[in-house]
Amino acid sequence: MRIAYFDAFSGVSGDMTVGALLALGLSLDRLKTELQQLPVAGYELDAAQVQVNGIGATQFSVHVHDHHDHGHEQHHHRPFRTIRALIHDSGLSAAVKSMALAIFTRLAEAEGRVHGIAPDEVEFHEVGAVDAIVDVVGTAIGFAALGIEAAYVSPLPLGSGIVRAQHGPLPVPAPATVELLRGLPVRAQDGEGELVTPTGAAIVATLARPSAPPMRITAVGYGAGARRLADRPNVLRLVLGESMAALGEDELVLIATNIDDANPELFDHVMERLLTSGARDVYLTPVHMKKNRPGIVLNVLCTEIDRERLAAIIFAETTAIGVRYHAVRRQILPRETVQVTTEFGIASVKIAHGPDGHDNIAPEYEDCRRLANEKQVPLKVVYQSAIAAAMRR
């Protein structure tokens, strides 16, 4: 399984994360092409090679055009519901959409708790501008392109002082940042200024778990921050590696509730919202309930950190009046996602390596469906071609 470790000794931000992914091999051209799937304009991207305290790093920048037309004003005040629709309706792959939506959902929920409003009503200012949308979606693109399947993060330095924001001066770390970092290890009063931004906090809170398992390092990338710090190099070190364990293990929570009085049309929306809010898996089980009623068990697999938040979504979106939960342990085959070239085009394929030396090969459905529609061939034919291409590797 391919692992990314956020060695965040100088904190983390969105631009530092994308810079580190570029340093690890994400192509700037691919990033630009993928981002063109979003209906967002008025910006240019730049990736410069810089030296920070003698360390070679990639400094990623988003240059928003400095004009005052209607579109520019919209960039700085985007409600979460607008950002969600923007990503959901884009031409990005399903995996990239899911990851980007999960990050922004986590951010909206944190901002909503700070301001005492519903997540849909949160208006993003700094984080809702073009650069933050690019940082969040760019991170999702990088994870997908590099085949990263699990991420971990070191203890985060919280910094100190006061930062100026849309609402006026705020303490460091910003209130939304503190909300986002619940459950993650931190170091209070470590460093001066804002070292962990809300966007950076949302990325690691959504994608990463504390510490890291034994791994074999395959690559290291450094993403440079915009400021120069007096006491440390302002870079994010992103370490890429392969899990050394034949079978990975982790501990999750399984939330379940029985429902027999809900409109079945609602379940698609509920499942999508849970998955984009951090659930590892969501599935429905048909059951026969009391009074001979057919019912559904809604099952949600998640981390302990996400349990209360996802249970709240279940209560808000369904007719459930109670949930049950218990800890579960998983064994996970090491896996990787690779790009293969078929006779119909390029498709992503997930390969899980079994302990007996036999691989499980699963083509990416969305890629195969797109190729099937483009080439006017049966979907199963594209699947067979992708599997054959993966076996030839």
Side-chain angles (χ1 to χ4, degrees):
M1 176 166 44
R2 181 163 291 181
I3 295 170
Y5 177 58
F6 286 80
D7 188 8
F9 48 80
S10 295
V12 60
S13 64
D15 59 326
M16 293 167 75
T17 301
V18 177
L21 290 167
L22 289 166
L24 283 170
L26 171 64
S27 162
L28 182 61
D29 287 340
R30 175 169 180 172
L31 179 63
K32 290 179 178 178
T33 299
E34 295 256 8
L35 286 170
Q36 287 173 0
Q37 302 295 322
L38 286 169
V40 176
Y43 70 91
E44 294 179 1
L45 305 183
D46 178 60
Q49 302 306 307
V50 299
Q51 290 280 324
V52 182
N53 293 22
I55 300 172
T58 301
Q59 185 158 34
F60 175 70
S61 304
V62 182
H63 304 288
V64 179
H65 295 166
D66 186 16
H67 52 75
H68 301 285
D69 62 10
H70 178 67
H72 179 72
E73 289 299 318
Q74 285 185 329
H75 290 332
H76 291 280
H77 299 278
R78 292 181 186 265
F80 170 57
R81 58 181 178 273
T82 300
I83 295 175
R84 184 175 58 206
L86 180 149
I87 296 172
H88 185 273
D89 297 339
S90 72
L92 294 164
S93 72
V96 171
K97 283 183 185 180
S98 178
M99 187 175 295
L101 285 170
I103 295 170
F104 260 117
T105 297
R106 183 71 64 95
L107 191 52
E109 290 172 347
E111 292 280 0
R113 287 194 296 270
V114 170
H115 300 301
I117 59 177
D120 266 7
E121 302 305 316
V122 169
E123 285 204 352
F124 292 104
H125 302 285
E126 292 87 349
V127 296
V130 171
D131 56 349
I133 295 175
V134 169
D135 288 345
V136 169
V137 178
T139 295
I141 292 169
F143 266 57
L146 297 176
I148 298 170
E149 298 176 86
Y152 300 84
V153 63
S154 66
L156 293 161
L158 292 186
S160 61
I162 300 293
V163 64
R164 300 199 66 82
Q166 180 75 23
H167 298 285
L170 292 174
V172 172
T177 299
V178 177
E179 289 287 333
L180 286 159
L181 296 182
R182 289 185 182 188
L184 291 178
V186 298
R187 300 194 302 267
Q189 296 296 314
D190 181 3
E192 297 182 359
E194 186 178 40
L195 300 183
V196 179
T197 67
T199 306
I203 289 170
V204 295
T206 305
L207 305 182
R209 287 171 276 176
S211 69
M215 61 186 290
R216 183 178 66 255
I217 295 176
T218 57
V220 181
Y222 292 88
R227 293 185 296 130
R228 292 296 176 261
L229 305 178
D231 62 341
R232 69 194 77 189
N234 191 19
V235 295
L236 169 66
R237 178 158 55 196
L238 195 58
V239 181
L240 202 62
E242 297 289 338
S243 171
M244 294 177 61
L247 291 175
E249 287 193 6
D250 60 5
E251 186 167 301
L252 299 174
V253 173
L254 181 63
I255 307 173
T257 184
N258 294 9
I259 301 174
D260 64 1
D261 58 349
N263 183 342
E265 293 178 342
L266 300 177
F267 283 115
D268 178 59
H269 170 74
V270 174
M271 293 176 74
E272 181 177 359
R273 185 171 176 198
L274 289 166
L275 287 168
T276 58
S277 298
R280 299 298 175 83
D281 195 10
V282 182
Y283 58 97
L284 305 176
T285 307
V287 292
H288 202 72
M289 297 176 60
K290 62 185 179 181
K291 297 184 180 180
N292 292 317
R293 293 175 182 170
I296 291 292
V297 181
L298 173 62
N299 302 274
V300 181
L301 198 62
C302 65
T303 63
E304 174 62 31
I305 295 172
D306 293 331
R307 175 176 57 81
E308 288 189 15
R309 188 166 51 82
L310 295 179
I313 292 175
I314 293 173
F315 287 131
E317 296 285 1
T318 75
T319 56
I321 59 175
V323 300
R324 55 192 179 274
Y325 60 89
H326 63 272
V328 295
R329 292 193 63 81
R330 297 191 304 174
Q331 283 192 316
I332 311 167
L333 290 177
R335 66 198 72 176
E336 60 179 326
T337 300
V338 299
Q339 301 282 321
V340 298
T341 301
T342 75
E343 58 188 297
F344 307 108
I346 296 175
S348 297
V349 175
K350 181 174 288 185
I351 303 176
H353 303 292
D356 58 357
H358 294 93
D359 294 339
N360 294 325
I361 301 174
E364 172 62 44
Y365 168 74
E366 293 292 348
D367 286 356
C368 291
R369 184 175 69 166
R370 173 179 52 80
L371 294 175
N373 289 333
E374 289 177 357
K375 303 301 181 180
Q376 294 296 296
V377 296
L379 178 60
K380 66 180 181 180
V381 174
V382 181
Y383 259 71
Q384 293 165 356
S385 180
I387 292 172
M391 294 179 66
R392 290 194 299 267
R393 291 178 65 251

